Structure formats: C-alpha cells, structure tokens
Amino acid sequence: MAADVLLEIEDLRTHFLLDDGVVPAVDGVDLRVHRGETLAIVGESGCGKSVMARSILRLVDPPGQIMGGRITLHRDDGPVELVGADPRLLRRIRWQDIAMVFQEPMASLSLVHTIGSQIVEAVRLHENVGKAVARRRAIDMLDRVGIPMPQRRVDSYPFELSGGMRQRAMIAMALSCRPALLIADEPTTALDVTTQAQILELLADLQDEFGMAIMMITHDLGVAAQVADRMAVMYLGRVVEYGPAEQVLGAPRHPYTRALLRSMPRLGRASRTRLTAISGMVPPPYARPDGCTFHPRCDSVLAGRCETVTPHRLPLGDREVACLLYEQEENS
Ligand SMILES: Nc1ncnc2c1ncn2[C@@H]1O[C@H](COP(=O)(O)OP(=O)(O)OP(=O)(O)O)[C@@H](O)[C@H]1O
Ligand SMILES: [Mg+2]
C-alpha cells in the first residue's frame, strides 16, 4: 500500500436493522484518503455518504450497526484499526486525528456553552495545556476562520451567531487540535453562495497551512470540481467509481457517473442543484436490485448479465470502476 495513505476503508458495511427489514445503507465501501489531499464523495441523496462518514468515528446510532469491514488509520506511530476499537481510543482519535464538520452546526455545537468554552474543552481533552493557553488558541482559531472580533465572539453562544459564522466556529473547533483528517459532510449546503465560496476558500487555506486531508461530502459536482484531488462516486452504499478528480469529471467511465454529470450541465459554476435528475428513481432502501444495483436505471445495461452478476471494482488506469462493461473488456 502507498506510504501516503492516511485512512483506508475496506469492505465497510453499516446496516440499519429495522422491524420492517434491513437497510444496507453502506454495503461494501472501499476507499482510501491520502495525506494532505481532498477526496470528494459524491452521489445522490440516500446513497450512504453520511452513514459511511459517521461510521469512521462510530457515530452511527442504533438501529444502525457496523456489520463488517475494516477502517485503518495510518498514524505516524503505526496503523490503528477503528472498527472494534475501544471507545476510549476513538474519543482520543476524534478531534486530534480526525475531526468532523456537519451541514448543520447546531447539531454538533452545544447550545448551553459558549463557543470558546467548547473549543477550550476540545483542546484540553487532547493536550496537556492550561485554560489560558487553550483560550488563546480558541481566539486565534476564531480569528483564522474569519470571525470578526474574536476576543469578544469567543464568549458568544452558538445562537448569537449567524449561520455562516456558526459554520466558521464549527470549523475553528474542528481544526483546533490540528487533525490529520477533516471530514466535512455538506459543510456549505445550508449557506448562501457567497458564504459557501468563502468557507471553501478558507478550508483550502487551512489545508495548505496545516497539511491536513479533507474528505468533502457533497451533492454539488461544482463544489467537487473546485476542491477535489480525487473523487469517489457512491451509489446505493457502494463506491462505483474512484480516481483522480479531473479524470472522473473529464472522462467518466461508470454509467452512473456519466448520468450524474449529464444531470449537471452547468458544471464549473456554483450550482445548488440536487443530484436527482437521472432517469428513474433511487430504489427504496429495502429493495436493492440484484446484480448491479444500478442496472434498472442504466443506459448501457448488458441484457442477461447486469441483472444477475455483481460487478467487482476493477483498476482502469489510475481509476477503479465497478461495472460489467469493463469486466467484459478485460476478459475478452
Ligand atoms: N436512522 C436511520 N434509520 C434507518 N435508515 C437510515 C437511518 N439513517 C440513514 N438511513 C438510511 O441509510 C441510507 C443512506 O443514508 P445517508 O444519510 O447516508 O445518505 P446520504 O448519501 O448522506 O444522503 P444525503 O445526500 O441526502 O445526505 C438511506 O437509505 C437512509 O434511508
Ligand atoms: Mg448525507
């Protein structure tokens, strides 16, 4: 395995065990995040992006359950296996190695504590520093993320800030322990276009400064095109295409990626279109089609094969694609 891999996910399966049946939200995800890079995760609503991301730090609540797979974090002092890890180890890894930012900051910020006290607590959980030092770090981080008058805002409660400022505060908190990986789940979807652009620029600056990797989950192929080094395209709980962003966007191989790109004619401009314009619907979660799960919507379907044979992900140059079109190419 390449030395610069920071996080490796292999055959991750996270299912929701409901009374009416099992929802295989994440059903065999394979992914790698390299040090310092931005990996964009794209795909239609419900394809398992958030459940995959939350599985990494085991933030999926019951009835969700990790059924199998491996998630390996390659720290400087050696690899750590996260599936099955002791909760105390996961708490140490959270913030310090891997931090998360969600679409709705109110869901991750405490309403009854000031922004500053939450950052101070996160810093002191991981570093042996006094309150005054941690408070100075909090003010410095609020300043870095572009919050005006940070000496005053550090004592604000989340509800006293605007949506854009709360998102910045959330990023300040996430970065206060200098994580090696930031997982950002739709961090700008709820913001206006101008604030969205500012936040993406800010993340890029902080990434350069701290050398961290970013896993950027987004509906918006325009955002992915702007920020990503690599891309993973998810459909129904699996990654169907993975590779360098310019290749995936410039010459998509999987029929699903092609359909996604066709549904976004204004790629390159800031667009807020949700990825729902592909023919047919995402099948209901309990009823996953047999064979390739995309076959009922696919315009390149191979009759008699795609309905029954599950495609494996195959290397195609720098890329990996799970589609029988290419298995045939390889076998012929
Ligand atoms: N608490 C839950 N109980 C049951 N099913 C769930 C639960 N949370 C998620 N799911 C199911 O898991 C699947 C994946 O959901 P997930 O939230 O990961 O999608 P997503 O790709 O993040 O979508 P979006 O782009 O809308 O955020 C969906 O079918 C969803 O219905
Ligand atoms: Mg989501």
Side-chain angles (χ1 to χ4, degrees):
M1 190 200 48
D4 65 340
V5 172
L6 174 65
L7 186 81
E8 189 174 26
I9 300 178
E10 296 162 275
D11 197 26
L12 178 68
R13 281 169 287 122
T14 306
H15 296 179
F16 288 90
L17 312 176
L18 307 177
D19 292 342
D20 299 338
V22 174
V23 175
V26 172
D27 204 27
V29 161
D30 292 288
L31 267 189
R32 294 177 296 282
V33 187
H34 297 74
R35 285 178 205 283
E37 79 169 355
T38 298
L39 172 72
I41 315 278
V42 302
E44 285 166 293
S45 192
C47 67
K49 304 182 295 295
S50 296
V51 173
M52 182 275 292
R54 300 184 76 94
S55 300
I56 296 170
L57 287 172
R58 227 180 299 146
L59 298 174
V60 181
D61 295 320
Q65 199 176 317
I66 297 181
M67 310 300 288
R70 289 162 62 86
I71 302 175
T72 313
L73 173 68
H74 294 276
R75 289 166 122 182
D76 292 339
D77 57 357
V80 185
E81 179 55 43
L82 302 186
V83 174
D86 188 282
R88 277 172 306 182
L89 175 63
L90 281 178
R91 271 200 298 277
R92 279 212 302 280
I93 284 172
R94 185 163 189 205
W95 301 117
Q96 197 169 37
D97 295 278
I98 303 175
M100 289 189 80
V101 180
F102 300 99
Q103 175 175 343
E104 183 34 75
M106 287 309 235
S108 15
L109 291 170
S110 159
L111 306 185
V112 295
H113 297 100
T114 62
I115 299 288
S117 64
Q118 294 182 58
I119 298 180
V120 164
E121 193 188 351
V123 170
R124 295 193 68 204
L125 196 63
H126 296 289
E127 293 175 42
N128 191 15
V129 296
K131 270 195 178 156
V133 171
R135 185 179 162 88
R136 275 203 296 281
R137 171 93 62 87
I139 292 171
D140 178 51
M141 282 312 299
L142 294 177
D143 188 32
R144 295 282 252 294
V145 300
I147 292 185
M149 295 181 292
Q151 304 87 332
R152 253 175 56 195
R153 289 283 162 72
V154 72
D155 296 317
S156 305
Y157 288 88
F159 63 82
E160 296 177 297
L161 302 178
S162 69
M165 286 298 151
R166 272 204 295 269
Q167 196 59 284
R168 285 167 196 262
M170 182 67 223
I171 291 169
M173 185 163 158
L175 300 187
S176 59
C177 297
R178 311 265 164 115
L181 173 63
L182 177 72
I183 299 174
D185 190 354
E186 307 267 7
T188 59
T189 308
L191 304 174
D192 63 83
V193 175
T194 313
T195 313
Q196 164 170 313
Q198 287 171 354
I199 299 265
L200 291 178
E201 222 165 276
L202 166 72
L203 280 175
D205 289 348
L206 295 169
Q207 180 175 33
D208 283 347
E209 192 179 332
F210 298 154
M212 68 183 171
I214 298 180
M215 179 189 282
M216 174 71 77
I217 297 172
T218 178
H219 271 95
D220 191 328
L221 288 172
V223 169
Q226 188 185 335
V227 303
D229 301 301
R230 281 194 180 78
M231 271 178 73
V233 181
M234 281 187 71
Y235 187 70
L236 289 185
R238 294 216 178 107
V239 175
V240 297
E241 181 158 0
Y242 169 85
E246 72 274 13
Q247 290 185 23
V248 174
L249 291 166
R253 303 295 296 266
H254 197 287
Y256 178 62
T257 317
R258 289 184 186 155
L260 273 187
L261 283 164
R262 275 200 303 274
S263 76
M264 282 256 336
R266 294 181 303 137
L267 183 63
R269 283 172 53 189
S271 163
R272 304 179 66 74
T273 321
R274 313 265 301 177
L275 300 177
T276 49
I278 304 175
S279 74
M281 303 271 288
V282 177
Y286 299 113
R288 295 277 151 107
D290 288 335
C292 170
T293 53
F294 186 58
H295 85 260
R297 303 171 74 194
C298 182
D299 58 10
S300 310
V301 67
L302 303 169
R305 277 184 58 78
C306 298
E307 300 90 331
T308 51
V309 183
T310 304
H312 299 292
R313 222 163 78 183
L314 291 175
L316 281 180
D318 296 336
R319 229 180 301 190
E320 290 167 31
V321 182
C323 175
L324 294 175
L325 288 175
Y326 306 107
E327 280 186 26
Q328 215 179 35
E329 199 173 90
E330 200 187 54
N331 294 336
S332 59

